[in-house]
Amino acid sequence: MYKRKLYLFGLLSTFILLIALASAAISAHLTRTNLAQAQLAQSLLSEHQQLSSISYRLFKQLTDELIFGKNANQAKVRNKQQQIENSLNRIKSLELAQREALGLEATLGSVEDTDELEALIQGIVEEFRAIALSNDSTPLNQQQRLQTLLEITIDNQFREAINSAVNRQTGVVSRINASIETLNSSIVWFTISLGLITCPFILLGCYWLFNALYQPLTVIRTGTDAIASGNYHYRLPETLDSEFTDLVKALNSMIARLQEHEDQADAHRKHLEFEVESRTRALKEANNKLTQLDAKRRQFMADVSHELRTPLTIIRGEAQVTLRQAAASNEIYKETLETILEQAVNLSKLVDDLLLLARAEMHEFTVDLVKSDLHNLLTQNMALWQKLTKPRDLDLKWLANNEVQVLIDKDRIAQVLTILIENAHKYSYPDTPIVLRVESEGPNINVSVIDSGEGISSSDLQHVFERFVRLKRKGNGMGLGLSIAKAIAEAHHGTLSAHSTLGKGSQFTLTLPVLQDHATRACIWSPPLLQE
């Protein structure tokens, strides 16, 4: 029942809408047509005015030619004649288009008058040429032929012809504008009339529909309030319009299913308890991991203590032994001081490494970025790195553009590459070369250190950049070098990655973004927490 009411209201609204759309489409078509005609008429009027201006300038130049000689304005005369010809062609084309759009009656005489105007202009030009070729020695102001041309042909005939064409086209423009104004007024009044007629029908239809819908909604709301209050014995009447029957049945069915939902809620609670227990186990596992991490930190502190104790013991021992000697020579003092200096340098390096990682963890790691030439940086440090890797060869393979500009802290990048090269020298087979390869990859530049060594297993490779990790390989370091290198790489908005194959060697790749018109600046890096 309610559906038929909606259909009736929809048909009425659609009919009114179709009338409005049809009116709008007709109005738009007529407006577009009138505007096109107005634009065409205005263009034709402008061409007539331009033709008049050019023609008079041509006649003046021809007159100057009679006065100053036949070669006085030849180039300008030819240019004006070409302009007149072009203007006449455009006028003819526009007049034909206007006649096709407005009809013969509205444009009577336009095309024919243009042909006569063209012939008149040609006749005037030819008369000027004839006077110039007549070689008449009579003064120009006394030549009857020239006076007739200027006063009768140009001032009377040409002026009347061009003014007639302009006045005729002005009238066409005025008629078209009046037609547009009339059409606009008609559209406005039609719109007002249509609104006054349709608005009462629409308001009455909406009021009728709202009343027809309000009563079923009131009944349904009363039933839902009863259900919400816990009255599961309430049933909605099924005597409403047929469109609401399914809704009423669904609500009545929902009441019967609420108890079933209560049972399901109990099952969900049990499931939630199981989930809580599972999460508790997960938290216990996380706690175990934290315990392991704490043990690792304690082991690290023990390692640090050991590393600090060794150089300090050596320094103290060397000093004590030397001081106990009653008459130590300068050579002995020198050897003692050299030993103490060596251990102090090692101790300072260890402290610097620990301080760097501590600053990185606290987001206070600072790098000074400057615009640098990567090729120059590598070539300048090759001699130092070659000394570190003696007696093996260190090869630089530059596969990128020689003028690669990057924004880096040169000392820190050199530190990263020194760490990678020292590791490659330490863990690769003797007498095998170490390759330093540079290649471009999109907006980045990759610097890879490649060795031919034992390689790293996949299980160890995923932990190689972690702090305090020392693989069971050669060397007795603290396991901080690669962590420091990775922190420096990330401080430059780059990455440090590792690839390795057991028995073939390893490749560590430093990826840096290529400079893209960035200014030189200092950057304070805020890195993510380093892996534990």
Side-chain angles (χ1 to χ4, degrees), residues 140-153:
L140 292 177
N141 58 354
Q142 299 180 8
Q143 291 185 16
Q144 183 63 33
R145 188 176 182 180
L146 178 59
Q147 292 179 359
T148 300
L149 175 62
L150 294 176
E151 296 175 2
I152 297 177
T153 307

Side-chain angles (χ1 to χ4, degrees), residues 60-172:
K60 180 181 181 303
Q61 290 168 358
L62 290 173
T63 304
D64 292 341
E65 180 181 338
L66 293 176
I67 298 172
F68 302 107
K70 62 180 181 179
N71 295 323
N73 294 307
Q74 285 298 306
K76 294 183 179 180
V77 168
R78 287 193 297 269
N79 182 41
K80 292 295 185 295
Q81 287 179 325
Q82 183 62 43
Q83 291 180 8
I84 290 173
E85 181 179 355
N86 294 338
S87 182
L88 286 170
N89 290 334
R90 287 193 295 270
I91 289 173
K92 291 178 180 179
S93 175
L94 292 174
E95 285 179 340
L96 291 176
Q98 181 174 267
R99 174 164 292 183
E100 182 178 354
L102 301 179
L104 178 61
E105 183 177 354
T107 60
L108 184 63
S110 59
V111 178
E112 297 77 5
D113 291 348
T114 301
D115 293 335
E116 295 177 2
L117 183 61
E118 181 180 11
L120 179 60
I121 293 173
Q122 186 63 33
I124 292 172
V125 172
E126 291 176 357
E127 183 65 12
F128 270 111
R129 297 301 184 198
I131 294 173
L133 295 174
S134 64
N135 295 323
D136 190 353
S137 59
T138 305
L140 292 177
N141 58 354
Q142 299 180 8
Q143 291 185 16
Q144 183 63 33
R145 188 176 182 180
L146 178 59
Q147 292 179 359
T148 300
L149 175 62
L150 294 176
E151 296 175 2
I152 297 177
T153 307
I154 295 177
D155 286 348
N156 294 335
Q157 297 178 5
F158 175 78
R159 185 185 301 275
E160 291 176 0
I162 195 68
N163 289 342
S164 175
V166 171
N167 292 335
R168 181 183 62 253
Q169 192 58 37
T170 301
V172 173

Side-chain angles (χ1 to χ4, degrees), residues 363-377:
H363 299 183
E364 295 179 357
F365 182 24
T366 303
V367 289
D368 295 326
L369 304 182
V370 296
K371 181 178 178 182
S372 305
D373 189 310
L374 185 60
H375 186 270
N376 289 340
L377 175 64

Side-chain angles (χ1 to χ4, degrees), residues 252-305:
N252 290 333
S253 176
M254 181 183 67
I255 300 173
R257 294 175 60 186
L258 284 176
Q259 187 60 45
E260 180 183 352
H261 291 165
E262 288 292 331
D263 297 336
Q264 292 178 356
D266 292 335
H268 290 161
R269 280 193 293 271
K270 293 180 181 179
H271 178 70
L272 181 59
E273 292 175 357
F274 173 78
E275 289 290 335
V276 170
E277 185 179 355
S278 300
R279 295 297 176 89
T280 302
R281 287 196 299 269
L283 289 175
K284 290 181 179 179
E285 293 177 359
N287 184 58
N288 292 334
K289 291 182 178 179
L290 289 175
T291 302
Q292 295 173 2
L293 178 60
D294 185 63
K296 185 183 294 186
R297 288 184 181 275
R298 284 196 293 269
Q299 180 62 41
F300 167 71
M301 295 304 297
D303 291 341
V304 170
S305 299

